[in-house]
Amino acid sequence: MRSLVFTVALALSAPLAAQQNGAAPVVYKVSFPAPEHHIAAVEVTFPNVPAGTLQARMSRSSPGRYAVHEFAKNVYDVHAFDGTGKELALTRPSPYQWDVAGHDGTVRITYKIFGNLVDGTYLAIDTSHAHMNMPATLMWARQLDNRAARVTFTPPAGSNWRPATQLFATADPWTFTAPNLQYLLDSPTELSAFKLREFEVANPDGKTFTIRAAVHTESPDRDIDEYASGVEKIVRESMTIFGEYPVFDTGTYTFLADYLPGNGGDGMEHRNSTVVSGRGNVRSGLGTASHEFFHAWNVERIRPQGLEPFNYEEANLTDSLWVAEGFTQYYGSLIMGRAGLSDVKRTVAGMGSLANAVINGSGRQFRSAVEMSHMAPFTDAARAVDPTNFSSTFISYYTYGGAIALGLDLSLRDKTNGKVTLDDYMRTLWKTYGKPGGPQPGLVAKPYALTDLRDRLVDVSGDRAFAEDFYRRYMIGREVVDYARLLERAGVVLRKRNAGRAWAGDVRAAADGVNRIGNLQAPGTPAYEAGLEQNDVIADVNGKPVASIQQFNEAVASLKPGERLTVAIKRGAATTTAVITLREDPDLEAVPIEDTGGSPTAEQKAFRDAWLGSRQR
Ligand SMILES: [Zn+2]
């Protein structure tokens, strides 16, 4: 780990960004008068406000998190003033909006906001830090999206906090700028006595960037060093896939790492930074770091239509989270393996679990990966009071997309004998959609459409028939590739985890009743087909009373696939009988052939090394 003095370039580029849009910037002052009460005081001044009503808003969504979150709920004590300091009346046309009329071209709004959850979405303030996700913290005004912003933070008196952020630095260490609203809201900021680790990376064209890890944790320094060393391996390995780093707008990329008891576990991608958080030792965060850094290319710059520009007023819908998140999930694991942070056994086990979840997941009967992406607003940290049957009808687009990435990578390697890989596909997406950039930091000029994914696969594979078939069957369709055959090329065996064992489905006990079924039964399983469902009480099996779901499962385990089980089910006062025809447990696992008593051929070994080995030199 090298520490570099590289902040001069940042300070120089900042005023430029602030002045880019002509009109005077929106000015924020954020202070922490009572951090022990988890409160921030925010003052925002909108200059040169057009005549008419100013519509001030709190965001309802946050980039990278797809459910609606009502950040307005924690805002209170709101006041508005004009340029002379006269207080103005506020009205509330919606739960998320404060209207200010009768101003003199300047509107200053002050408010307090409460926040006490450390993760990638919310605001957290306590005496150790202010951990700010900007949509959860800053009010903004409609129609002023193109204005630059200037933000000054005032830490609590006597604190030893320092700022870490992807916002543009200025000569004042506590004042930062953003060229527009999109960039401002995409710039989470941590103020704390974090430990800083830095290293420098270079692009083939000689341009250099500083990668920073600002680590707020109680983990010992040696663990922070180990984390930072792992991050460096991840960062360097990730670059080999695309052949270059994105041009980080401020010359830096920052891991805002927060690992403290009570934290939420999360990783949230942004253009030039990521928030990675958890409650354990910081060393446990490398897998998250690997996933998030891949997002610097995939989703931050290789951006699907539907997310660009990001709509802060409602949920954002895209067809392609299975690529934005799923392919990132695949590469997060692959890069851990290639960087030597995960061994072959663990890496292929992860790949096997992706394939298994999609091959056997009942959700695939109902929704494609595209349709799974459409579910994000209901599944990504979404809250609802009524129950859903997502456990039966939904497979995470992380998992589904990860399995498609695995299938596509292996299919390309298989058909071209390793000449063309998913790395080439990602590099083509990068050159076509990501690298061209946007008119300003924070904006992407060429987001991709779903069909672009097919067309670029035609280009990369050089085989239109293959690309169109793969797209139709496995990307927008609900078929799965022959994972077992493809993995076998790398000397990896995809096998039944519990071969020969009888299986009724996933029948678990309810927390409050030992012989009551606690979970929804998945369509296509023997238990579902026999009519068993959540909340059914299993009274007896083959005429013998059972006292628990565990006894039911033991009865299943004592039989063979193909055998039948008759169960008496109580639903309220009624009792019915169901006949379950048991099948072999379909659960799959992937293991290196060495673990099955075999050994890889030279060809398998070469295939595996090209796939899982480091690409650095
Ligand atoms: Zn992600």
Side-chain angles (χ1 to χ4, degrees), residues 10 33 69 93 173 202 304-305 313 326 384 400 472 489 505 521 524 533 535 539 574 606 609:
L10 303 185
H69 295 271
Q305 288 180 0
E313 299 200 9
Y400 206 143
R472 184 176 49 79
R489 296 270 339 239
Q521 297 304 295
E533 195 43 276
N535 288 325
D609 288 347

Side-chain angles (χ1 to χ4, degrees), residues 267 269 291-292 295 324-325 328-329 398:
E269 64 277 8
H291 177 104
E292 297 307 322
H295 273 315
E325 287 300 351
T328 301
Q329 190 72 6
Y398 286 77

